Amino acid sequence: MVWGMTDAVPHTNSAFRTAVVPAAGMGTRFLPATKTVPKELLPVVDTPGIELVAGEAADSGAGRLVIVTSPGKDGVVAHFVEDLVLESKLKESGKYHLLEKVRKAPGLLEVESVVQDQPLGLGHAVSCAESVLDDDEDAIAVLLPDDLVMPRGVLETMARVRQKRGGTVLCAIDVPKDQVSSYGVFEVETVPDAVNPDVLKVTGMVEKPAIEDAPSTFAAAGRYILDRSIFEALRRIEPGAGGELQLTDAIALLIKDGHPVHVVVHRGTRHDLGNPGGYIRAAVDFALNSDEYGPSLREWLTDRLKRADS
Ligand code: G1P
């Protein structure tokens, strides 16, 4: 089903025009809230995480968002549907700033959903999007909605790298060594002719390695530009880390086949909305930057931290 902007998917970015957002997970780390509210709808200040990620996809030139969802998570896609009754109420009562806020999500880009009916892993979730791609789409972007990568712009850099070097381009962050086991980790080498030193060639990738087995501290940060050949690789993988079909393992197959894979190392901020601790940090970070809530939050926090032991 298709919601949001109804025109044909525009050709807005020459590297990709479809952005896939896997959002089928159960959000177990957020129970009990996620018993009825999908994790992706939890607000970062006043905006659901999924809308922030959709905004990033639209900014990067995507014309269509494919949300991979699971039965019972309809609210995630409903967030992108116009609510004409709410809009007319807000208009009648002159609440134009709120009207602007509720109109934002449906106006960002065309939104479509596909259902992942079994929780078989991220690789399986991405493979569910293949059926809705147009024949001429030779790459897709994937954005994990747990990851907020800021400031925006890394996807544009990644798109430029794909235009120059072809293949698959991923986003890496340099994480402390004791955290590598939470991520997909890259084995990398420098690119002799790279103008940007943060563009590296990937020679291997492993999902959630033991600390002693990690090939580096460069970890996948939830932003991917995947060549369409990923779907053929996804058909070849077996269950991996955690017994799940891992996107990392399909990327590792592409590397083995000699397909070019690069990373752009992101040197800014990355928040992990997937657990309460990371989510709170993101909310505080966004709130501190807000004209509306920032000044009083800063004052309260400063005072609260003086009483840190109470
Ligand atoms: C997923 C990916 C992993 C990546 C991480 C980034 O793991 O499988 O490679 O580094 O997202 O957030 P998850 O956090 O879903 O376990």
Side-chain angles (χ1 to χ4, degrees):
M1 278 195 268
V2 181
W3 291 269
M5 302 163 88
T6 48
D7 294 341
V9 180
H11 293 243
T12 44
N13 180 313
S14 50
F16 58 86
R17 57 180 194 272
T18 295
V20 176
V21 178
M26 285 174 60
T28 41
R29 283 182 290 179
F30 267 104
L31 284 168
T34 45
K35 196 175 150 194
T36 53
V37 181
K39 175 178 70 174
E40 296 78 10
L41 291 182
L42 295 176
V44 180
V45 186
D46 58 5
T47 305
I50 188 88
E51 182 177 326
L52 296 174
V53 167
E56 182 187 341
D59 278 2
S60 73
R64 162 165 80 166
L65 195 72
V66 175
I67 301 178
V68 184
T69 181
S70 56
K73 290 189 77 176
D74 306 343
V76 177
V77 177
H79 183 68
F80 294 92
V81 180
E82 280 184 311
D83 184 336
L84 297 177
V85 175
L86 174 62
E87 288 184 16
S88 67
K89 275 188 192 151
L90 292 172
K91 213 186 284 174
E92 277 160 26
S93 50
K95 294 182 174 153
Y96 294 106
H97 70 293
L98 293 179
L99 182 64
E100 198 184 318
K101 285 187 178 186
V102 302
R103 277 186 173 163
K104 193 160 177 207
L108 284 172
L109 68 185
E110 180 188 307
V111 174
E112 194 160 336
S113 72
V114 294
V115 175
Q116 182 190 22
D117 44 19
Q118 280 177 285
L120 298 178
L122 178 60
H124 180 251
V126 170
S127 70
C128 294
E130 186 181 15
S131 60
V132 299
L133 296 183
D134 295 333
D135 290 346
D136 66 337
E137 290 185 270
D138 55 12
I140 55 166
V142 172
L143 293 86
L144 304 190
D146 279 357
D147 292 299
L148 286 186
V149 180
M150 299 179 334
R152 284 182 183 177
V154 75
L155 275 170
E156 284 94 317
T157 308
M158 290 159 63
R160 283 197 297 276
V161 173
R162 173 167 157 96
Q163 273 149 19
K164 183 164 173 188
R165 303 185 183 277
T168 285
V169 186
L170 313 168
C171 172
I173 47 171
D174 198 0
V175 300
K177 183 130 182 117
D178 63 355
Q179 291 175 21
V180 285
S181 305
S182 302
Y183 297 94
V185 180
F186 303 112
E187 181 181 88
V188 291
E189 58 185 39
T190 51
V191 180
D193 67 332
V195 178
N196 177 353
D198 287 329
V199 175
L200 301 170
K201 185 172 168 57
V202 182
T203 53
M205 187 176 183
V206 48
E207 182 69 15
K208 302 194 172 67
I211 295 180
E212 57 277 17
D213 297 335
S216 75
T217 51
F218 290 120
R223 298 293 180 272
Y224 307 77
I225 296 178
L226 300 170
D227 186 86
R228 195 173 180 132
S229 54
I230 194 72
F231 294 107
E232 180 273 322
L234 284 166
R235 281 189 275 279
R236 286 193 279 143
I237 57 169
E238 303 280 339
E244 297 188 339
L245 293 168
Q246 296 290 355
L247 180 58
T248 292
D249 293 343
I251 295 167
L253 279 182
L254 290 182
I255 297 166
K256 231 190 236 163
D257 291 349
H259 172 105
V261 179
H262 293 85
V263 286
V264 172
V265 182
H266 173 69
R267 303 286 181 186
T269 302
R270 175 250 180 191
H271 288 299
D272 179 3
L273 297 181
N275 69 83
Y279 171 83
I280 290 166
R281 283 189 195 185
V284 171
D285 199 12
F286 273 64
L288 285 173
N289 281 330
S290 127
D291 293 341
E292 197 171 349
Y293 306 108
S296 72
L297 176 65
R298 188 174 300 273
E299 201 178 306
W300 181 83
L301 267 180
T302 309
D303 184 50
R304 177 66 182 80
L305 289 173
K306 282 188 202 143
R307 303 182 276 118
D309 50 350
S310 60

